[in-house]
Every structure is written in structure tokens, then in C-alpha cells.
Amino acid sequence: MKYRNLGRTGLKVSEIGLGSWLTYGTAAEQKAADACVEAAFEQGINFFDTANAYNRGEGEKAIGAALGKYERSRYVLSTKVFFPMGDGPNDRGLSRKHIMEQCEASLKRLGTDYIDVYFCHRYDSETPVDETLRALDDLTAQGKILYAGVSEWTAAQITDAAGIAERRNLRPLASNQPIYNLFERYIEDEVLPVSAAAGLGQVVFSPLAQGILTGKYKPGQQPAAGTRGADDTVNQVIGSYLRDDVLNVTQELNLLAEQQGIKLSQLALAWVLRQPGVSSAIIGASRPEQVRENAEASGIVLSEETLTRIEQIMEPVKDFAPAR
């Protein structure tokens, strides 16, 4: 496993990180989380990501329990705040009240004294940015978080926040967490250059496009039982990928990966990591073997010839935008 600095900070995170957006709550699911975290440590993964909104805190509890047996200094833990955690008018957003209360709640659910990276899960148009940044700065001063970040903020919003932090002499943001994969590349135009200028490193989610870039979905075939594509409770996003033109492209990419002697998932992750502004790619896994396969993408360098061929393969779906 190779490691990269998180933006302009001295914090080093593994090129592959393990996320926990899957629904947890049962003993069987906790056993799976424990096994995946153990496999992650075996592969050298040190970055683990969750959010308070993942199943209303159950995701945090599961990852916290799985990490409980490991020395705290061995891993980098991130979580998030923004989405509703109750029915009250102040149980959501990025107000000082909600941030302070949810940070305390996340620390308890995670079973830790501090959060390495605390992300604003989305932009809050109803709260002044300086209020949000001041709350994050105060949490850092208290030692409850070490670094602050944002998720899915636009280039203009990142630029505005960076300017406010500088003018108010507040600690700068360290990271942005956007979606980024072969099909969804919006960050390349503005977010990446703006983030580089402001010192934010990207920790990207859905680098395998909800599992599409594993090659397990075939054109003209129904998703196999047990896959996300066949599960009506979680396939709202992946469903927009399940089109023959998209799946035909994945089959061509799969053939290219085979010619390189690697898996399609590894090709897709290596493509994401080709970007110097990307600090880590966050994977999801329900089985240890998935963690091991994806971790092997770290350090793979795709040749210019391969990158050119990827662009040629992607040409038929270059304007594809999954429903959100």
C-alpha cells in the first residue's frame, strides 16, 4: 500500500480507503464489517470513512466497533455532518449548534476521543459559511477533530470558504470528498484546480461507480441476485447505470484490464489515482476478498497508451450523467 498526503497537510492516508455507507445493524453485518476492517489493516489501509447519516448513526457504531481493537494511532478516521439526524428544525445542516452536538454524538458512537477528518457532508445555503468554519475551527482547538473538510462542494463554494478562512485567520480546510469515477468526472474542470490552489486533497467516493466498474453487470442481462443492482432498497443510483451502452463500455474496459494483467476494478481505481490531486479513493466492501482485490490497485501506474485507450473506449458515454 502506498500513502499520500491529505492535500497540503502532513497527514498521510492510504491510496485506498474503506468506507461504510452500507447499512449496518445486525450481528451478521457487524461480523462482515469486522472482517473487512481486518482485511484492510492486513493490506495496509489506514483510512476509514463513515458519516453520522449512514443509517442514522449505525454506520458509525459499526466502524467504531470494528476499529476498537486497533491502536488509535494506526488509523485515520473520518465522519461527516449535515443530513438530518432528527425531526427538529436544528437537527440538520451546518449551524454551530448542529455541528457541535453531532460531533459529540459521533465521538460517542465511534468510541473515540477525536475524529481525524470531519467533513461537511453537503453545502448549507441556510447557514453563513463563516459560522460553519468557526465551529470547525473551535472543534479543532478543542482537540475533538484534527482536520476539517467538505463533501460535494462546488469550486465556487470551496473558493469562498478558503477566502473566509484566510481573512478570519481560521484553520484552512484540508479535504474535499466528491464523487469521481470514469463516468462522473465533473471535478476535473474546476474543483480539482481550485482545490489544489486552496490546499485541499480529494478523497473520492464511488470510484467503482456503485460496482458497475467491477464488470459483474452484463449488457442484456438482469442483475444477478444478491448484487446491489438487484436490490430495490439500494439500487436507486446504480439503476441509472444499468443501460446497454454503459455496460458495453465496461466490457471493453474489462478486456483492456485483462490485457494489462489486472482486474477491471483495479484499472478503474488506478485511473482515479492517476490524478495527483486525489489523496485516496474510498471503496465499499461487504467481503474481505473485495478489500484485498481493490487494495492491490495501489501503486499501479497506467501507461499513456492505456490512458489514451481508456478515453477512446469511454467516448460513446462521455455525456452520460447518472440520475441523482
Side-chain angles (χ1 to χ4, degrees):
M1 179 60 59
K2 294 187 179 299
Y3 303 86
R4 300 184 180 186
N5 286 65
L6 183 64
R8 200 176 289 161
T9 76
L11 181 67
K12 296 189 183 298
V13 293
S14 49
E15 288 188 336
I16 304 298
L18 180 63
S20 62
W21 62 79
L22 298 177
T23 299
Y24 293 115
T26 68
E29 288 161 349
Q30 184 62 58
K31 187 176 180 180
D34 293 346
C36 287
V37 166
E38 182 175 356
F41 272 97
E42 290 172 353
Q43 297 300 311
I45 291 174
N46 78 337
F47 180 44
F48 298 88
D49 177 76
T50 186
N52 63 349
Y54 296 162
N55 199 22
R56 286 286 179 95
E58 294 302 317
E60 287 183 324
K61 290 178 183 177
I63 199 71
L67 290 169
K69 68 178 183 179
Y70 299 97
E71 184 179 341
R72 185 64 181 86
S73 62
R74 290 186 60 191
Y75 59 88
V76 175
L77 177 61
S78 70
T79 191
K80 310 179 192 72
V81 59
F82 171 80
F83 287 110
M85 291 298 288
D87 298 327
N90 290 309
D91 292 334
R92 66 200 67 204
L94 298 177
S95 69
R96 181 180 182 85
K97 177 177 173 62
H98 188 60
I99 288 174
M100 293 297 190
E101 290 174 347
Q102 282 306 307
C103 182
E104 292 292 344
S106 289
L107 289 170
K108 290 178 182 177
R109 286 189 290 262
L110 291 165
T112 186
D113 295 327
Y114 66 93
I115 296 160
D116 292 286
V117 190
Y118 199 38
F119 287 100
C120 297
H121 211 159
R122 291 295 185 271
Y123 184 80
D124 184 359
S125 60
E126 297 181 356
T127 300
V129 176
D130 57 344
E131 176 181 340
T132 297
L133 295 177
R134 176 67 70 183
L136 295 171
D137 191 76
D138 287 345
L139 286 173
T140 308
Q142 295 167 12
K144 293 177 181 178
I145 69 173
L146 303 187
Y147 303 91
V150 298
S151 178
E152 288 284 74
W153 283 28
T154 66
Q157 290 162 353
I158 291 171
T159 299
D160 183 42
I164 291 172
E166 184 174 8
R167 292 192 298 272
R168 300 281 198 275
N169 197 29
L170 302 173
R171 293 171 180 85
L173 296 170
S175 182
N176 177 44
Q177 186 173 140
I179 192 168
Y180 186 50
N181 58 56
L182 278 159
F183 296 101
E184 300 186 73
R185 303 173 59 169
Y186 84 91
I187 65 170
E188 293 177 350
D189 294 333
E190 297 181 346
V191 172
L192 281 176
V194 160
S195 294
L200 281 70
Q202 312 297 307
V203 290
V204 304
F205 69 88
S206 199
L208 299 181
Q210 300 287 318
I212 290 292
L213 289 167
T214 63
K216 62 187 173 185
Y217 300 102
K218 313 294 184 185
Q221 299 181 17
Q222 290 296 314
T227 62
R228 291 173 64 85
D231 186 347
D232 290 336
T233 65
V234 296
N235 68 1
Q236 295 90 345
V237 175
I238 195 174
S240 62
Y241 286 107
L242 297 176
R243 302 173 3 185
D244 280 354
D245 57 346
V246 170
L247 299 181
N248 284 331
V249 161
T250 64
Q251 294 307 298
E252 287 193 61
L253 291 169
N254 192 46
L255 178 60
L256 178 63
E258 290 176 353
Q259 292 169 351
Q260 307 293 313
I262 58 178
K263 301 286 188 179
L264 174 55
S265 60
Q266 294 164 351
L267 178 82
L269 288 165
W271 180 88
V272 164
L273 291 169
R274 86 200 188 286
Q275 288 281 5
V278 172
S279 300
S280 184
I282 303 169
I283 63 164
S286 56
R287 302 190 307 277
E289 54 267 30
Q290 294 172 326
V291 177
R292 298 186 186 100
E293 177 179 305
N294 292 339
E296 290 178 5
S298 177
I300 293 177
V301 177
L302 301 176
S303 68
E304 288 300 320
E305 180 182 3
T306 299
L307 292 173
T308 298
R309 179 58 186 143
I310 288 173
E311 294 298 328
Q312 293 170 345
I313 292 172
M314 297 299 297
E315 183 66 22
V317 292
K318 66 178 182 179
D319 297 323
F320 171 70
R324 292 267 171 246

